[in-house]
Amino acid sequence: MKKKLLSVILASAMVLSLAGCEKEAPASVSIEVSSASTETSASTETETKNDADVTYVRADDEDVYEAVLGDFEALSAAAKAASSVDERFMLFAQAEAYLLDSAVMIPTTTQGGAYTINRIAPRTVPYVQWGNDDDRLKGLVISDEFCTPAERDDMLAEWAKAVAGEGTYDPAAYLKSKGHTIQDTYTLTFQTAPVTLDWLNTSSQADTEITVNCVDGLVEYNNLSQMTPALAESWEVSDDGLTYTFHIRKGVYWYTSEGQKYAEVTAKDFVAGFRHMLDAQAGLEWLIDGVVVGGTDYYSAGGSWDNVGYKAVDDYTLQVTLEQPTSYFLTMLTYSCFLPICDSFYQAHGGVYGVEEYAAASADTNSYTYGNSDDVASQVYCGPFTIQKLLKDSEILIVANPGYYKADQVTLKSVKWVYDNGENPDALYNDTVAGTYSGIALGASTGLLDKAKADGNFDKYAYVSDTTSTSYFGGLNMNRGTYALESGTVASPQTEKNKVDTHTALMNKNFRKALMHAFDKGTQNATVRGEDLKFTNLRNMYTHPEFVKIENDVTDKDGHTFTAGTFYGEMVQYYLDKLGAKVTVKDGVDGWYNADAAKEYLAKAEEELGDSVSYPINIDVVYYSASDSQVAQANAYKQVIETTLGADKVQVNLIEATTPEDYYASGYRASNGEAGNFDMFYGSGWGPDYGDPSTYLDTFLGEGAGYMTKVIGLF
């Protein structure tokens, strides 16, 4: 989900155009500071005087969630029940402040903010904070030469004027006027291959960043951040805001991987895609909770499909009925959960409809072959590209679809991803300079920053890439269930007593706060970005602080008024301050690190924990040992935590994963909270699916509703 689950640690150095996922809520909920700062451990361990007799037993997820996140769901529900969009944003700010103050997670960085050299013209992919559109490459403009900072500034100025309606943005013409030659192929790298070609049966960016280039949705954003028609050439909204009627573009077809026309795209294909997404339950379905009539009841409670408000009126008319007016509904349509599938192709490859029916059919891989990532012919495509090759340990290739209905707007003939495990950054840099790849981030830990300074490329071409709305974060495993992979690799050194002590300590809010405020993110980030950019891409709240703002004055139940134009982050800061939290939420500063506060929280935790634990408390951090960046980050984390809190109080165990697969299995691709093999994991992130704070915050809802609770070891 980038909108999808993202991995930060194994992110490729390759760059694109970075410049360019049960309580009844009261009617109003306010945050109050609890007089108690210690949650009761839900662990059922048995402790005796002999440490050897201690056995760690994993607790109940719901009990732990209630203990550490308490009223978060009630606060979120209150926001969703708000009478206006402005009140909604204000109440979500309360919920986010509560989440941050719980200290079960800590926002760390965002994308970008790195020294970069690049041949890609800025803002030539869709420019938007949410959805999948910024992965769409059909309009990419690539030069044969690196762009200079001055050239980039000129193009960005031209872009800004176009956004303001003062002309057009034509970076290709500009670059040609400066002697550049425009390229029609694009090569970049990948480190984790798609596990499916079914864009509705995944919530991982590693899957969708390929497939969204091969399928269009109802609407899309352009590179000026404007929503434009895609496969819906027009639409209307009923006066009550509940019914959306989309008119599907005629004459658009599905094509096989060989480029053969298969079937026309119809409204039925959008219905088929929506139902298949609900049937598959791959982490997209919860996005429509409370949005589309009957959708939640269908996938979670066995409700009838006939009651779901997603209907094909005829071949070219799609009608969607909402449960309530939803101001951000159109922005949701740019995310993959609303993409179509070819109904006839799906059924021809073993696809069926119905939650239970799909579960049974998809288990039989002999008859169910739809979207098989080992066979590019197992999918058909209606977008600007078709997938020609998918070799998971070497190469992925997509080529321009000549039958695409807007083929004249596609600037590339092909896009190729080449496998790179990150072990040889020098080779990657040399290939980039030679023109194989378009751009590269100049990391400090990889040595590329010094290399580019030495050969002159830094002075001639380097710029600092834009930051984005994607938020990476670290999560504490509140209910650990795995201490080694099934193969026996990536094994924790902790004894049973260590495990009990760690769980008991993490259930104490002051101990968690001590860990989070001891985390010197700037020092860790400097190992990757370099000392002068160590703060540039730091993020201190989950939602982008300027993601939304209120349009009118709004007053909370305690009488505090936020004036029109107040950004969401400013409201979160107000409620954090009210809670007494020592956090600064704005981007570009280390808003959590506070050594004095960390020590104060640790002292309080020690007092509250008494003799229920033995020190030091063990915190396992898994890292990929073949990555210089990961090694540097892991060692930096260990150093800052143990230096600030004392190695006699907290011991950070650096657990080596020798392969990317083992690293991913320990955290990023762990199937659920219990499978997470870590105590602290800072290798995942989330990018927004649509234009509302709930796109972030819903990922931490309980009882399995929130996709990212697995990063705190739950559900």
Side-chain angles (χ1 to χ4, degrees), residues 402-417:
Y404 183 54
Y405 73 101
K406 292 190 293 187
D408 61 327
Q409 297 180 24
V410 180
T411 59
L412 300 175
K413 290 183 178 180
S414 66
V415 181
K416 180 169 66 174
W417 287 261

Side-chain angles (χ1 to χ4, degrees), residues 593-611:
Y593 177 59
N594 185 325
D596 291 338
K599 293 171 184 176
E600 291 173 8
Y601 284 125
L602 180 61
K604 292 178 182 179
E606 288 185 85
E607 182 179 351
E608 292 161 353
L609 291 166
D611 59 3

Side-chain angles (χ1 to χ4, degrees), residues 400-607:
N401 175 9
Y404 183 54
Y405 73 101
K406 292 190 293 187
D408 61 327
Q409 297 180 24
V410 180
T411 59
L412 300 175
K413 290 183 178 180
S414 66
V415 181
K416 180 169 66 174
W417 287 261
V418 177
Y419 178 74
D420 179 82
N421 61 10
E423 294 182 8
N424 194 343
D426 278 353
L428 197 63
Y429 177 86
N430 293 337
D431 286 343
T432 301
V433 172
T436 301
Y437 303 113
S438 298
I440 193 167
L442 304 175
S445 61
T446 60
L448 299 188
L449 182 58
D450 288 341
K451 190 176 179 71
K453 288 180 177 179
D455 66 15
N457 283 325
F458 179 87
D459 290 337
K460 288 188 290 185
Y461 303 118
Y463 67 99
V464 179
S465 57
D466 282 356
T467 56
T468 75
S469 58
T470 293
S471 297
Y472 297 106
F473 64 93
L476 294 173
N477 195 328
M478 301 307 305
N479 200 20
R480 189 165 175 183
T482 300
Y483 290 85
L485 299 181
E486 289 185 6
S487 62
T489 59
V490 199
S492 170
Q494 294 189 43
T495 66
E496 291 297 298
K497 180 64 165 63
N498 292 153
K499 297 173 186 178
V500 171
D501 288 341
T502 298
H503 172 76
T504 303
L506 290 179
M507 290 300 293
N508 180 280
K509 185 175 181 178
N510 278 319
F511 183 81
R512 297 197 302 271
K513 285 190 169 186
L515 276 178
M516 296 314 198
H517 286 292
F519 185 4
D520 184 347
K521 298 187 293 183
T523 292
Q524 188 196 54
N525 202 38
T527 66
V528 178
R529 289 286 189 263
E531 190 67 25
D532 53 341
L533 294 184
K534 67 180 183 179
F535 297 130
T536 307
N537 67 321
L538 293 192
R539 176 147 296 161
N540 297 297
M541 54 184 284
Y542 194 25
T543 306
H544 186 300
E546 296 184 359
F547 190 60
V548 294
K549 62 183 177 181
I550 57 173
E551 300 298 326
N552 306 284
D553 292 357
V554 61
T555 302
D556 68 15
K557 77 181 290 287
D558 295 325
H560 181 81
T561 298
F562 296 100
T563 57
T566 300
F567 279 106
Y568 177 76
E570 297 175 68
M571 295 188 285
V572 174
Q573 186 69 70
Y574 171 82
Y575 288 114
L576 278 170
D577 292 345
K578 188 175 179 180
L579 285 168
K582 302 177 188 298
V583 175
T584 300
V585 303
K586 67 179 181 180
D587 278 357
V589 300
D590 200 340
W592 285 71
Y593 177 59
N594 185 325
D596 291 338
K599 293 171 184 176
E600 291 173 8
Y601 284 125
L602 180 61
K604 292 178 182 179
E606 288 185 85
E607 182 179 351

Side-chain angles (χ1 to χ4, degrees), residues 354-369:
V355 175
E356 294 181 358
E357 291 84 351
Y358 171 77
S362 61
D364 183 357
T365 56
N366 290 322
S367 59
Y368 183 83
T369 58

